[in-house]
């Protein structure tokens, strides 16, 4: 199953903007509105989040 991911904050709390009439998406977390969102599987999403967490740990160390 594919999930939609915000390209700004990586949230999956995405819905169609204006009921889908505009062809744009709205992120409830950061307020992003646009026609570009990431579409990925749950496994791909988990891998992306783990990779970002690893990068954050490397920057702190």
């Amino acid at each position: 199953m594919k999930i939609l991911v915000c390209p700004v904050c990586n949230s999956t709390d995405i819905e169609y903007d204006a009921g889908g009439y505009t062809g744009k998406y709205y992120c409830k977390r950061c307020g992003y509105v646009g026609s570009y969102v990431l579409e990925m599987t749950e496994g791909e999403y988990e891998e992306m989040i783990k990779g970002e967490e690893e990068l954050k740990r490397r920057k702190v160390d």
Side-chain angles (χ1 to χ4, degrees):
M1 179 176 176
K2 296 283 185 174
I3 57 174
L4 300 177
V5 180
C6 175
V8 176
C9 70
N10 296 332
S11 171
T12 57
D13 201 3
I14 302 286
E15 64 182 28
Y16 283 113
D17 186 48
Y21 289 107
T22 63
K24 294 183 179 180
Y25 298 93
Y26 170 71
C27 176
K28 293 181 181 180
R29 182 174 174 198
C30 73
Y32 167 79
V33 176
S35 58
Y36 177 77
V37 292
L38 304 171
E39 185 178 353
M40 56 183 67
T41 64
E42 290 181 27
E44 291 169 333
Y45 179 71
E46 289 173 9
E47 189 175 315
M48 179 185 72
I49 296 299
K50 286 179 185 176
E52 288 183 358
E53 289 173 356
E54 179 64 28
L55 285 175
K56 286 179 185 176
R57 278 196 294 268
R58 288 182 184 179
K59 287 181 182 179
V60 172
D61 294 339

